[in-house]
Amino acid sequence: FETTLLQEMHDAVIFIDHNLRVVHWNPGAERLTGIAPINIQQRAWVPTLLDLQDDKGCRMRADSCPITLAVRGGERQTAQAKLRGRNNRELAVKLDAMPVRSAEGASLGAAVLVQDISSEVSLAVQCQRLHEQAINDPLTQTANRAEFQRVHELFVAAHQQRHMPCS
């Protein structure tokens, strides 16, 4: 059941052992990255394998990588990141690295779930752009009258609440 589940998942599922070696790479991981399991299994895990970047676009170092932290620190790590996917496309992803322990409590490594959230990030950027277009004058790029009134009401209310004069 577990094997079939992992094979059928659309999201990437990766198992990293306690020595930071890739021991499982499901078809979802191959679909997302373009890397076949045979080319990555038993390789040492480093963020450069996937050209991982943090949410600001800086290359992720091994000591700050959520996957490394989950294996070494034994605590669940989640992060938004970017990676170089199939056909060299940059993808926004959510990484969820969960430590795996033996019955005795020894670290066995981590199970990693990688979800493509590119469409969600793209939608958020589009919404922000539309919001800016709705509140700014297209010529001057300053707040339009409706935005001025909204902010003015907040400004006056804040000053009245603090019993402070304003003009």
Side-chain angles (χ1 to χ4, degrees):
F1 173 79
E2 291 87 358
T3 303
T4 302
L5 177 66
L6 292 174
Q7 295 301 103
E8 296 299 322
M9 286 188 68
H10 181 74
D11 294 328
V13 178
I14 306 164
F15 293 146
I16 309 292
D17 71 12
H18 69 284
N19 292 319
L20 290 173
R21 295 230 173 260
V22 178
V23 293
H24 182 78
W25 190 263
N26 80 332
E30 181 176 3
R31 194 172 27 258
L32 188 70
T33 65
I35 302 171
I38 196 162
N39 294 328
I40 200 161
Q41 286 179 332
Q42 299 308 314
R43 287 186 62 184
W45 168 258
V46 286
T48 54
L49 283 175
L50 302 180
D51 193 18
L52 273 180
Q53 301 170 21
D54 63 21
D55 56 355
K56 294 172 185 64
C58 298
R59 288 191 187 243
M60 207 174 275
R61 297 185 342 249
D63 62 350
S64 63
C65 174
I67 296 168
T68 307
L69 293 173
V71 172
R72 296 281 186 240
E75 291 185 21
R76 184 177 188 165
Q77 302 286 322
T78 59
Q80 283 194 9
K82 295 176 185 173
L83 62 79
R84 190 75 43 206
R86 184 179 289 282
N87 299 325
N88 215 25
R89 274 189 32 210
E90 185 177 90
L91 299 173
V93 295
K94 178 183 175 191
L95 294 173
D96 194 356
M98 298 149 283
V100 177
R101 298 196 173 280
S102 70
E104 296 79 33
S107 174
L108 298 176
V112 183
L113 180 65
V114 184
Q115 297 172 301
D116 181 357
I117 59 169
S118 298
S119 60
E120 295 168 32
V121 170
S122 176
L123 183 59
V125 168
Q126 289 175 5
C127 287
Q128 180 63 32
R129 193 175 304 128
L130 287 172
H131 174 73
E132 289 170 8
Q133 288 175 353
I135 65 170
N136 291 330
D137 177 78
L139 180 62
T140 63
Q141 293 302 308
T142 58
N144 61 24
R145 182 173 176 87
E147 179 65 3
F148 171 79
Q149 285 182 297
R150 185 188 73 78
V151 172
H152 180 259
E153 288 173 10
L154 293 172
F155 178 81
V156 171
H159 279 77
Q160 286 177 339
Q161 184 178 22
R162 294 187 191 113
H163 304 292
M164 295 176 61
C166 66
S167 60

